[in-house]
Amino acid sequence: IDNQLRGRSGRQGDPGAGKFYLSLEDDLMRIFGSDRIKTIMERFGMEEGQEIEHALVTRAIGTAQKRVEMQNFEIRQHLLKYDNVMNQQREMIYARRRNLIQSEDAEGEIIDSIKSLIEQWVENYDVEGFIDELPRKMFMTLFIPVKREDLEHLSREELAERLFEMAQEQYRRRKKAVGGGGDRLRQIERMIVLRVIDMNWKDYLFSIDQLREGINWRAYGQMDPLIEYQREAFRMFKDLIETIDREVVEHIFKGFVIEEQAVRQVFNIDKSRMVHEEFSSLAHGPLEMENPPAPEERETLPIETIKRISPKVGRNEPCPCGSGKKYKKCCGM
């Protein structure tokens, strides 16, 4: 601390000396044994405000400074252990985003997400009912119809390889159906993947901050907060990666379906019959406008004037319906 203060006051490099003044009532001395020194000074009859230059006081100040510096060092070292967990995760996410931004397209990233998603599904291979659940996931997420009978005889590795091949073929077929590898489609894929990563990363940062604020309470359960933080952060980051892969695949394949339907509608537009229905405020149904009247005929159409048949009823007058209420509180509401 003293060297830092001397360095800040002597940036010009001129020779000089430093002298520090401390009070026994300062926080530094008050926390680290100033009462004992004050008792000794009072016994010697020292007056308040008098300058004290004694080796005992100098050693006490030096000891207090060392303790403070050691305490601050331990705090920074402890915080660094927590930050190292986030730093490793941050580097992985940023490297993924950087590779995606610098690449020409996101096909490689999407293929990796498809593979990771299928591996997540196959992890539950031994769970009861998995074979019945897998075809539903394949159709709802990848729009691939799969029969249960085609999967029963496959091992875990064969099942993962078979599903991955089907998903790759489906991805390339859908991509070709909506325009192949054009610049517009590549840009849309990159934007989708980046948006999924960014949105989930922001949610993860909020969740990990909440975990960091409350992890010290684990110490009351005889658990090391740092180890518990590392364990929870690893589990949350694993869930983050799985969520990103799943949402990337869902958004890409659903987007292909919507885009393919739009393309089919454009190419089939000549086969459809355009029907235009015009509604009139004086008519009770659609008017057939296949042979619309000429502008001259429209101008000669008679204009009917709407006239009131019954007399106008005031808002505060009795309602004509016979309810006995005022018109404004009955039929005039």
Side-chain angles (χ1 to χ4, degrees):
I1 295 175
D2 295 348
N3 291 333
Q4 289 180 3
L5 295 175
R6 290 191 180 99
R8 291 172 183 174
S9 61
R11 296 298 184 191
Q12 302 299 327
D14 299 331
K19 191 170 185 179
F20 297 90
Y21 291 88
L22 230 66
S23 172
L24 295 178
E25 297 178 353
D26 288 343
D27 293 338
L28 179 66
M29 299 302 299
R30 181 176 54 81
I31 296 175
F32 297 98
S34 63
D35 294 336
R36 182 171 58 87
I37 299 176
K38 289 177 65 176
T39 302
I40 297 175
M41 296 300 112
E42 291 175 356
R43 186 176 301 174
F44 289 161
M46 302 295 292
E47 297 179 359
E48 184 177 357
Q50 184 176 354
E51 183 179 350
I52 302 173
E53 293 183 359
H54 194 275
L56 177 63
V57 179
T58 304
R59 285 197 301 270
I61 294 174
T63 302
Q65 288 181 337
K66 289 180 180 179
R67 291 179 181 176
V68 171
E69 292 178 358
M70 184 61 67
Q71 184 179 7
N72 293 336
F73 175 75
E74 291 178 355
I75 292 174
R76 292 193 299 268
Q77 191 177 29
H78 188 67
L79 293 177
L80 184 61
K81 293 179 181 178
Y82 283 91
D83 188 65
N84 282 337
V85 178
M86 277 297 302
N87 187 46
Q88 295 175 2
Q89 299 175 356
R90 190 183 302 113
E91 289 179 354
M92 293 179 62
I93 294 295
Y94 286 1
R96 188 170 180 177
R97 293 187 77 259
R98 193 180 306 111
N99 294 334
L100 185 62
I101 293 174
Q102 295 175 355
S103 61
E104 295 182 357
D105 56 29
E107 181 174 345
E109 181 72 22
I110 295 172
I111 293 296
D112 293 340
S113 297
I114 295 173
K115 185 177 181 181
S116 300
L117 180 62
I118 292 177
E119 290 176 352
Q120 295 171 24
W121 291 346
V122 179
E123 282 181 2
N124 301 322
Y125 181 79
D126 299 329
V127 179
E128 183 179 357
F130 169 75
I131 298 298
D132 296 328
E133 183 70 14
L134 186 57
R136 187 186 68 84
K137 291 183 177 180
M138 290 290 294
F139 183 75
M140 296 298 294
T141 305
L142 304 176
F143 301 96
I144 300 177
V146 180
K147 295 183 179 180
R148 181 179 185 274
E149 294 77 13
D150 299 336
L151 308 177
E152 291 178 337
H153 63 282
L154 300 177
S155 63
R156 183 192 300 268
E157 292 75 14
E158 293 175 346
L159 180 62
E161 184 177 359
R162 173 72 179 280
L163 296 180
F164 180 59
E165 291 177 355
M166 295 172 63
Q168 274 188 305
E169 182 181 357
Q170 175 78 337
Y171 168 72
R172 294 193 170 94
R173 183 169 62 250
R174 294 281 188 180
K175 188 174 182 179
K176 184 178 181 180
V178 297
D183 294 337
R184 174 178 172 272
L185 184 59
R186 288 198 296 266
Q187 186 68 15
I188 291 176
E189 288 182 340
R190 292 173 60 190
M191 290 175 60
I192 290 176
V193 179
L194 284 174
R195 179 172 176 79
V196 170
I197 293 176
D198 293 343
M199 296 300 294
N200 285 279
W201 177 244
K202 288 191 294 184
D203 295 339
Y204 175 78
L205 291 179
F206 177 78
S207 301
I208 204 71
D209 286 342
Q210 297 293 108
L211 174 66
R212 177 67 184 87
E213 291 179 1
I215 198 65
N216 291 326
W217 293 101
R218 304 286 180 94
Y220 289 96
Q222 304 299 321
M223 293 182 291
D224 188 352
L226 178 59
I227 296 178
E228 292 298 315
Y229 177 78
Q230 292 174 345
R231 182 183 294 112
E232 292 291 335
F234 175 77
R235 180 187 60 80
M236 292 172 61
F237 188 73
K238 182 180 178 181
D239 294 341
L240 169 68
I241 298 300
E242 294 177 356
T243 303
I244 290 176
D245 292 335
R246 185 184 69 254
E247 291 188 4
V248 165
V249 175
E250 289 178 351
H251 283 72
I252 290 296
F253 276 82
K254 289 180 180 178
F256 282 165
V257 171
I258 296 174
E259 190 73 16
E260 186 176 356
Q261 292 176 354
V263 171
R264 289 180 179 178
Q265 183 178 2
V266 170
F267 282 101
N268 295 333
I269 193 171
D270 294 335
K271 300 179 182 179
S272 62
R273 180 173 178 269
M274 301 297 293
V275 178
H276 175 71
E277 296 181 351
E278 180 173 327
F279 290 84
S280 173
S281 59
L282 301 178
H284 298 285
L287 300 177
E288 295 295 335
M289 299 300 295
E290 295 181 358
N291 298 318
E296 296 79 6
E297 298 178 1
R298 294 180 185 177
E299 294 178 357
T300 59
L301 291 176
I303 300 176
E304 181 181 356
T305 303
I306 300 177
K307 297 182 179 180
R308 183 186 303 276
I309 300 176
S310 59
K312 183 178 180 181
V313 182
R315 289 177 52 80
N316 294 319
E317 295 180 4
C319 186
C321 68
S323 62
K325 299 180 181 179
K326 293 183 179 180
Y327 179 69
K328 64 181 180 180
K329 294 185 178 181
C330 187
C331 298
M333 293 182 63

